[in-house]
Amino acid sequence: MSETTLHRYLGQARKSVDGIDKVTGRARYAGDVNLPGMLHGKLALSMHAHARITGIDATAARAVPGVVAVLTAADLPTRGRQPSSRQTTTLADGVVRYRGEPVALVLATSLAAAEDGVAALQIDYEPLPGPVTATAALDPAAPVIWPQGAPKSDTDLTAAHAAVARGDDRAEHKASNIHERKRFSRGDALAALAAAEVVVEGTYRTAIVHQGYLEPHAVVADVDPVRKQLTLYTSTQGQFGVRDEVARLLGLRPSQVTVVPMTVGGGFGAKYGILEPLAAAAALATSRPVRITLDRSEDFLTTTPSPASTITLKLGATRDGTLTALVAEIVNDNGVYPFTLGGIMSTLLGGYYRCPNVQIDVIEVLTHKPQAGAYRAPGAPQITFAIESAMDELAHQLGVDPLELRLRNSATTGDPMGNNDPWPSMGLTKVLEAAANHPLWRERAPGSGIGLAIGGWPCGMSPAAAVCRVDTDGVVRVHVGSVDISGVNSSFVLVAAEILGVPPEQVEIVAGDTRSGPFAGPSGGSQITYSVAGAVAAAAREARRQLLEIAADMLEARIDDLDIRDGMVQIRGVPSRTVPIGEVAKRAEEQAGGPGPIVGDGRAAPAENAPGFVAHIVQVAVDPETGRVKPLRYVAIQDVGFALNPLMVEGQIHGGAAQGVGWGLYEALRYDERGELLTASLMDYTLPRAADLPSFEAVLVHNPAPNGPFGARGVGEPPITAGAAAIANAIRDATGVRIYELPMRDEVVWRAIHGL
């Protein structure tokens, strides 16, 4: 059976398998878990960006009715361990290094009592100096945040989102606020830039952006004190990684920790384990279940938003528009712990377009702010804003069509990325060709406020397993260990249905925990469909083989003459000779000496990833009196390989494009000179509302991935990459001015229009 001929169910829009549970409120989130004897935890967060803790008086807090315990670093099994990342943080020990660092945990029989306990705590601090911006941190006179050297993380749970690419290590071997300095290069970029006939240069600044998920972080830790067994009910994107990290931090074996992933109310790269180590340590310390949930302000203060970036970029080209040189410097403000996005940023910045001479210097900087983390296609919105603004400006200087300039230089399969590895199968030229033929671009008039940008993501891959079993009622149950944050289960249903020849309604996805579920990688980096769907397909094929083997005996026919349609095994050409797959499963479970129950195992380990590319066209209206930018139309064109479930794919594209609008026009976490967060609520942090968004049109380009299941590519990350850049280019078309910073709020645009 050729996968390319199977289209009974695949490629057709099917509703979400868990949609009814979510819209009716039946879906269970981590915050819904209630266990007997459970304690509610409330964090006391640091009020300073850098200070010495001189005293914690918990007397009044312990006297609050309902308060059971007040825990500090000394009370936890993690005491004495230096955290190396936000994922390894429990409670601050002696010194706080960012506003919002957890200092104490109050446990009570109710959340209200825990909140009262935190209010009654007396924590004394001695403020200490320290840089809170990248500029201040790079000053040679600035205090060094980690005088003994930045702590090295044993693991990086967000690596699925942003794998660090190779580069030349240029770090100085002395303590400083630069935790990594690398160069990615090919050719002689400086000489080529000096010889270029046309040069475009600019400095592009992006703000710290929060992932903006609907559900703040939440976890419940249950403990069996006799066996030292922990069970974590949590909102996570990567259950196996969280299990291993919690076990490591607490000195347990992974088999002693079970992670039960609950319904995730949005993650976008941020939910790889922030509260889990603390909740687990608190449960062990008290021998009682503990629940910790963050409110919205706490979530803004103490989680892992995307880093602020400053990208200085110079492009050199010939007069006919052929790129000859790219020279760039990327400075990332990563907060208090090391976090390296420079590799993936350089890979993309130097890889969107063919250019023989490239030099990209990356400076990863530490500051007294919360550690930066992954946010959907981490690093890509920042570099795409820079390179696509520069390409647009180059087109204006040369007087050529911006799309034609991109097509002339766009990378294709085999061309080098910024780290000089060749691109695997990719479809940048295909999405640009689709954009060229779209009426919004083809029929545009100069000054009509229409901009275009491309964007891309390598898309991840990881080994995965799945189990497919057929029950006597004819229901096919597919067991997976992946976390569904984007509707992937609604595609897995179609994969199993397609291969087994059963209606999708007859397929059920069973998502297991770390004890019961087959292994799968974390839900990040656009890898779950690409990796797990292959395992589901393999498991379904094995189950199909077993069904046909037994049915051949029941129907007295050759296996090669059998097919399965609508859940019935039939002899080809003899539609009257059929047997339901449930009957076949019943025979398998009853037949002594037979092959046994219908259970198919499947594994997948892709050897090559399948990048996803987009071209976004945006039309905006700009009010010159106020600088207000209103998006009017938005066309998102994406190479999806093959859309297993177009409804889910289009939903991902709409959501990512909406987040791109947020990056472009609204969102920023702002800190003052002391490191105090000024935008710690949704009254201050502006997320785009429905009224702020245009209508979205998704255009799916089917460019099958050579190694993807049925040709599918990852689709989650690419939709966010091009939005801010496309809006910037649309503003340039409407007003004639170039904006160099994100977000492009009213005042920023107004000042640019008026030359201020």
Side-chain angles (χ1 to χ4, degrees):
M1 298 174 61
S2 170
E3 289 188 350
T4 58
T5 64
L6 294 174
H7 295 295
R8 298 178 198 170
Y9 306 113
L10 284 171
Q12 300 180 33
R14 300 284 303 188
K15 64 184 180 182
S16 171
V17 296
D18 61 358
I20 295 297
D21 287 343
K22 288 181 176 177
V23 299
T24 58
R26 293 172 56 197
R28 294 185 74 229
Y29 296 83
D32 295 323
V33 175
N34 280 293
L35 301 176
M38 186 178 73
L39 299 175
H40 298 259
K42 190 69 175 178
L43 295 172
L45 302 178
S46 167
M47 303 298 292
H48 299 271
H50 190 205
R52 184 173 290 107
I53 304 170
T54 58
I56 300 177
D57 186 348
T59 305
R62 292 192 179 99
V64 172
V67 169
V68 174
V70 178
L71 302 179
T72 64
D75 302 311
L76 299 178
T78 52
R79 58 186 169 272
R81 180 187 290 272
Q82 172 61 59
S84 55
S85 67
R86 184 62 185 89
Q87 285 78 24
T88 59
T89 294
T90 50
L91 296 174
D93 188 1
V95 175
V96 293
R97 292 182 174 87
Y98 60 93
R99 169 71 170 98
E101 183 171 4
V103 175
L105 176 66
V106 176
L107 299 174
T109 55
S110 70
L111 181 58
E115 290 173 338
D116 290 344
V118 169
L121 274 176
Q122 179 62 48
I123 304 177
D124 296 322
Y125 298 96
E126 176 190 339
L128 299 172
V132 297
T133 67
T135 300
L138 291 172
D139 187 329
V144 176
I145 294 174
W146 298 100
Q148 306 306 316
K152 302 296 184 182
S153 180
D154 296 292
T155 57
D156 180 3
L157 298 185
T158 63
H161 262 87
V164 177
R166 295 190 303 276
D168 298 328
D169 188 355
R170 309 179 78 82
E172 301 174 4
H173 297 286
K174 63 178 182 179
S176 78
N177 292 325
I178 297 174
H179 70 82
E180 184 171 279
R181 189 194 293 267
K182 282 192 172 181
R183 172 171 289 176
F184 297 81
S185 62
R186 60 176 174 265
D188 190 337
L190 296 180
L193 188 69
E197 295 174 328
V198 182
V199 174
V200 170
E201 58 184 286
T203 298
Y204 304 87
R205 293 180 171 84
T206 67
I208 300 173
V209 179
H210 191 270
Q211 293 84 355
Y213 33 78
L214 186 63
E215 173 208 27
H217 283 255
V219 61
V220 174
D222 194 13
V223 60
D224 180 339
V226 176
R227 297 179 178 83
K228 270 202 168 182
Q229 296 275 352
L230 281 168
T231 301
L232 301 174
Y233 303 86
T234 183
S235 177
T236 182
Q237 296 175 238
Q239 55 176 330
F240 290 97
V242 169
R243 176 200 65 183
D244 293 347
E245 187 69 351
V246 169
R248 184 184 70 83
L249 290 171
L250 298 180
L252 303 174
R253 300 186 307 277
S255 60
Q256 292 177 275
V257 180
T258 300
V259 175
V260 181
M262 307 299 292
T263 305
V264 179
F268 309 113
K271 291 185 175 175
Y272 285 100
I274 287 180
L275 298 179
E276 287 84 346
L278 177 55
L284 286 175
T286 60
S287 298
R288 290 179 66 172
V290 170
R291 180 166 77 189
I292 304 176
T293 59
L294 300 182
D295 62 30
R296 185 63 60 183
S297 290
E298 291 168 336
D299 205 284
F300 279 132
L301 283 164
T302 194
T303 56
T304 53
S306 75
S309 298
T310 300
I311 302 168
T312 303
L313 176 63
K314 298 178 182 179
L315 287 182
T318 61
R319 295 196 191 282
D320 69 357
T322 301
L323 289 182
T324 59
L326 184 156
V327 177
E329 181 185 76
I330 301 171
V331 178
N332 289 327
D333 179 350
N334 290 328
V336 72
Y337 295 117
F339 184 72
T340 51
L341 278 185
I344 186 63
M345 294 173 78
S346 300
T347 294
L348 297 174
L349 180 60
Y352 280 178
Y353 298 104
R354 291 191 305 274
C355 186
N357 303 288
V358 172
Q359 179 177 304
I360 304 172
D361 289 302
V362 179
I363 303 174
E364 307 276 14
V365 183
L366 296 166
T367 61
H368 281 294
K369 290 201 290 288
Q371 180 198 330
Y375 177 11
R376 197 174 192 168
Q382 295 98 312
I383 69 93
T384 302
F385 172 58
I387 185 66
E388 287 302 280
S389 295
M391 286 294 288
D392 204 64
E393 206 57 37
L394 179 61
H396 283 291
Q397 285 198 26
L398 294 171
V400 300
D401 181 281
L403 192 150
E404 289 299 324
L405 179 68
R406 288 171 169 83
L407 262 177
R408 186 177 306 168
N409 293 283
S410 62
T412 59
T413 303
D415 284 331
M417 297 181 282
N419 65 350
N420 295 324
D421 286 345
W423 277 111
S425 167
M426 52 96 90
L428 174 53
T429 57
K430 289 181 171 58
V431 297
L432 280 170
E433 289 163 355
N437 292 320
H438 194 280
L440 183 58
W441 184 259
R442 191 177 63 241
E443 300 169 8
R444 76 195 188 285
S448 56
I450 294 176
L452 174 139
I454 63 98
W457 186 251
C459 294
M461 57 183 181
S462 60
V467 175
C468 178
R469 62 186 177 92
V470 182
D471 288 341
T472 56
D473 58 0
V475 172
V476 175
R477 291 181 169 86
V478 179
H479 297 250
V480 297
S482 53
V483 178
D484 185 2
I485 63 169
S486 59
V488 291
N489 287 352
S490 302
S491 295
F492 295 161
V493 162
L494 300 185
V495 171
E498 192 75 64
I499 292 172
L500 284 165
V502 301
E505 295 80 9
Q506 212 167 313
V507 179
E508 177 185 334
I509 302 297
V510 181
D513 56 37
T514 55
R515 190 176 295 274
S516 64
F519 178 81
S523 297
S526 296
Q527 67 173 318
I528 288 299
T529 295
Y530 190 71
S531 298
V532 180
V536 171
R541 288 192 203 98
E542 174 57 20
R544 177 187 175 89
R545 185 195 66 77
Q546 295 174 23
L547 282 170
L548 294 180
E549 180 183 346
I550 296 172
D553 182 59
M554 296 173 70
L555 293 171
E556 299 179 335
R558 295 173 62 248
I559 291 178
D560 292 345
D561 293 331
L562 299 182
D563 194 10
I564 308 177
R565 286 186 174 273
D566 300 321
M568 307 287 289
V569 184
Q570 63 182 44
I571 301 175
R572 291 189 180 92
V574 189
S576 60
R577 297 284 304 280
T578 65
V579 59
I581 63 169
E583 289 294 324
V584 179
K586 189 171 186 294
R587 168 71 69 89
E589 292 182 8
E590 293 177 347
Q591 183 180 4
I598 307 297
V599 180
D601 294 328
R603 296 178 295 169
E608 184 178 77
N609 57 323
F613 272 84
V614 303
H616 287 190
I617 309 169
V618 181
Q619 184 174 25
V620 303
V622 182
D623 183 346
E625 298 298 321
T626 64
R628 174 67 52 88
V629 178
K630 182 174 180 58
L632 303 175
R633 292 183 64 186
Y634 199 120
V635 178
I637 302 166
Q638 182 164 333
D639 174 15
V640 300
F642 173 70
L644 302 177
N645 186 336
L647 184 65
M648 297 295 107
V649 170
E650 290 185 15
Q652 285 295 296
I653 292 173
H654 288 184
Q659 289 176 312
V661 173
W663 271 85
L665 297 177
Y666 301 109
E667 298 184 50
L669 288 175
R670 303 289 190 187
Y671 293 81
D672 68 12
E673 67 279 359
R674 297 169 300 168
E676 177 65 49
L677 180 60
L678 304 176
T679 53
S681 77
L682 290 176
M683 292 187 294
D684 307 300
Y685 185 88
T686 307
L687 290 166
R689 300 167 298 177
D692 301 319
L693 297 172
S695 60
F696 293 106
E697 177 188 348
V699 178
L700 308 185
V701 174
H702 289 94
N703 172 40
N707 301 302
F710 302 95
R713 296 176 185 270
V715 299
E717 247 81 4
I720 198 176
T721 58
I727 293 170
N729 293 338
I731 293 171
R732 171 67 167 85
D733 184 63
T735 65
V737 300
R738 172 65 57 192
I739 309 296
Y740 291 92
E741 66 177 278
L742 297 181
M744 297 172 286
R745 290 184 169 174
D746 299 1
E747 181 182 354
V748 172
V749 176
W750 182 86
R751 288 182 176 276
I753 291 173
H754 295 280
L756 300 175

